[in-house]
Amino acid sequence: MSREKLKVVCVLYDDPVEGYPKTYARDSIPKLEKYPDGQTMPSPENIDFTPGQLLGSVSGELGLRKFLEERGHTFIVTSSKDGDNSVLDKEIIDADVVISQPFFPAYLTADRVAKSPKLKLAITAGIGSDHVDLQSAIDRKITVAEVTFCNSISVSEHVVMMILSLVRNYIPMYNWVVKGGWNIADCISRSYDLEGMQVGSVASGRIGLAVLRRLHPFDVTLHYFDRHRLPNSVEKELNLTFHDSVESMVRVCDVVTINCPLHPETEHLFDEKMIGLMKRGSYIVNTARGKICDKDAIANALETGQLAGYAGDVWFPQPPPQDHPWRSMPNHAMTPHTSGTSLSAQARYAAGVREILECYLDNKPIRDEYLIVDGGALAGTGKHSYSEGSATSGSEEAAKFKKIN
Ligand code: NAD
């Protein structure tokens, strides 16, 4: 039996400054059959969008409007999510379902959860549900679901790009070309080969393992730490060294890539003390979550040279204020949380959100691997990859961001 008429509130990032695209750089995207571990692709009964088009911005609406409105549900889409009088704060009061993307998170803090007594389902259009106060969701028996695996490979590609960009010093080289220069010595005075380096991953889940696999052909020595050890066959295949602590791993690495979720165990894991254990001139690539690193400790380590470079795709809060130190620190290669929202990834997570909604609206079970919290406890992937508690404190700072066009 289908559910009564519901109110679904969806927070998406703004359309491009030049307006919603009328044409695209490519005519199609590859059709993938399954994920690398055999998990099946999102499988909704139907979709109302063209894969490869922009779905994650306000006008894209994740391709959900027709489907929800035809069934009689109310669908609100907004990019107004922070500060006093945001549309989110106004609409969440009687919302049944909230959909948000981690790139532009609708922070569902304890306060917001308390103010939305009807809220029953929080869907993450992507991976990483730390923007939801998971403890409040547990206490209130709100289901939290995400589209597991939808953009894990997208992120792993971004990680490899960032490692090479930092170690080879790509961005300054590009900037010299744009400035009209031919300054070879300036460009290469911080440029090295990755070959032969020690590279370690914090976590070996869907993204971490994909990063390790992609780096293996670069003739580096690979290390990892995770609370779940990989099968012996995988360790052998990739010649991986397992460490029983992050501390043990970072001491031997030249490059560290962070691929674990943000939860109370990992918040500020990379602080001054942890970075102090690393070799001078190491690199950190963090596409997981900004809050896993202490922002001032990272900026200081780049200033002193303890770190030779930092690249990340994730910040806290999001969007970060204009004076966030990671915008101006030396030797960084930051992106504005784009790794998991390529047009290719959007097609998968829009279909995955539709699948989750179809299940929820028709009272069918949501796939176990999509669940983070269910029935008042961590569940599915949440049970495997998270710990109880909340990591949303400080998210109100996102209101300080001023949009530039
Ligand atoms: P996953 O669930 O497959 O893997 C997470 C891994 O982290 C698991 O193996 C788990 O055991 C491990 N882990 C959890 N706590 C740990 C701890 N304290 N120490 C070491 N390992 C720990 O998830 P995934 O698809 O690999 O994604 C991982 C994270 O990456 C997400 O939770 C999200 O925060 C982030 N992410 C970012 C983007 C982006 O666009 N930048 C996109 C997708 C995911």
Side-chain angles (χ1 to χ4, degrees):
M1 220 190 50
S2 291
R3 288 184 195 266
E4 295 295 297
K5 308 305 170 213
L6 300 181
K7 177 170 171 182
V8 179
V9 177
C10 181
V11 174
L12 300 177
Y13 45 77
D14 285 314
D15 285 349
V17 174
E18 302 289 328
Y20 192 72
K22 292 190 177 63
T23 59
Y24 290 86
R26 295 178 54 79
D27 297 328
S28 64
I29 56 171
K31 191 169 173 0
L32 306 179
E33 296 306 326
K34 57 177 172 24
Y35 293 113
D37 70 350
Q39 184 186 314
T40 53
M41 291 285 150
S43 46
E45 284 164 18
N46 204 353
I47 54 168
D48 299 312
F49 59 84
T50 305
Q53 297 195 344
L54 179 59
L55 304 166
S57 73
V58 171
S59 296
E61 299 186 320
L62 295 177
L64 293 172
R65 185 168 296 281
K66 183 168 174 276
F67 158 69
L68 286 170
E69 290 187 346
E70 274 180 4
R71 286 179 166 224
H73 304 294
T74 304
F75 187 45
I76 310 282
V77 177
T78 182
S79 64
S80 164
K81 69 178 186 79
D82 300 305
D84 296 337
N85 309 316
S86 68
V87 173
L88 173 63
D89 272 325
K90 191 169 128 260
E91 299 289 355
I92 203 172
I93 290 169
D94 56 351
D96 300 280
V97 179
V98 171
I99 304 171
S100 173
Q101 298 173 113
F103 326 104
F104 189 68
Y107 291 107
L108 295 187
T109 56
D111 187 43
R112 276 186 171 148
V113 171
K115 284 182 183 149
S116 39
K118 291 176 74 184
L119 187 63
K120 291 181 265 317
L121 174 64
I123 304 178
T124 303
I127 302 174
S129 297
D130 50 275
H131 60 280
V132 180
D133 185 308
L134 295 181
Q135 194 57 52
S136 298
I138 290 170
D139 297 343
R140 269 272 307 278
K141 293 197 167 54
I142 294 167
T143 297
V144 181
E146 57 185 48
V147 190
T148 303
F149 230 144
C150 66
N151 56 14
S152 303
I153 301 302
S154 325
V155 176
S156 71
E157 292 183 0
H158 208 83
V159 172
V160 175
M161 173 185 83
M162 285 184 148
I163 291 175
L164 291 170
S165 300
L166 286 180
V167 173
R168 300 207 57 89
N169 207 33
Y170 169 58
I171 292 175
M173 294 180 185
Y174 171 82
N175 285 336
W176 274 113
V177 171
V178 173
K179 278 190 280 191
W182 193 255
N183 298 45
I184 298 172
D186 289 284
C187 293
I188 54 85
S189 58
R190 296 184 68 86
S191 179
Y192 299 89
D193 293 352
L194 182 61
E195 184 184 22
M197 287 192 175
Q198 309 289 319
V199 183
S201 176
V202 180
S204 56
R206 292 168 180 84
I207 297 174
L209 180 57
V211 168
L212 293 166
R213 280 197 190 289
R214 278 157 181 71
L215 289 174
H216 183 59
F218 282 89
D219 290 332
V220 292
T221 303
L222 294 171
H223 303 256
Y224 80 103
F225 164 73
D226 195 302
R227 58 189 194 184
H228 302 284
R229 194 163 173 173
L230 288 166
N232 197 258
S233 56
V234 178
E235 289 191 356
K236 275 212 177 103
E237 178 199 338
L238 302 176
N239 196 17
L240 302 178
T241 301
F242 173 75
H243 293 259
D244 59 9
S245 69
V246 186
E247 287 80 356
S248 149
M249 188 185 82
V250 300
R251 283 178 211 274
V252 299
C253 286
D254 302 291
V255 180
V256 170
T257 152
I258 303 176
N259 300 301
C260 57
L262 170 64
H263 54 86
E265 265 176 39
T266 61
E267 186 167 342
H268 293 152
L269 182 64
F270 279 77
D271 57 7
E272 195 185 339
K273 194 164 160 225
M274 183 71 80
I275 296 167
L277 297 178
M278 301 176 77
K279 296 184 200 170
R280 191 189 80 84
S282 299
Y283 305 87
I284 294 179
V285 169
N286 175 15
T287 53
R289 283 296 178 262
K291 232 188 189 185
I292 296 171
C293 293
D294 177 305
K295 71 174 188 305
D296 295 320
I298 295 289
N300 291 341
L302 289 169
E303 294 287 350
T304 63
Q306 172 62 11
L307 287 179
Y310 179 91
D313 184 45
V314 283
W315 308 64
F316 188 81
Q318 290 186 179
Q322 266 72 19
D323 64 355
H324 191 292
W326 291 2
R327 290 183 188 272
S328 55
M329 62 194 181
N331 303 313
H332 81 75
M334 298 295 297
T335 50
H337 206 163
T338 47
S339 64
T341 185
S342 58
L343 295 177
S344 323
Q346 292 184 21
R348 290 187 291 273
Y349 67 69
V353 170
R354 169 88 177 242
E355 179 190 330
I356 292 169
L357 282 169
E358 285 177 359
C359 290
Y360 182 73
L361 296 175
D362 291 339
N363 276 305
K364 290 184 193 149
I366 295 169
R367 292 188 203 201
D368 201 49
E369 67 253 35
Y370 287 174
L371 294 174
I372 302 299
V373 172
D374 194 43
L378 292 173
T381 296
K383 204 165 164 185
H384 182 89
S385 295
Y386 285 77
S387 56
E388 287 187 4
S390 158
T392 57
S393 68
S395 56
E396 63 285 351
E397 293 274 300
K400 285 192 188 161
F401 174 76
K402 300 274 174 292
K403 207 174 142 189
I404 51 163
N405 277 329

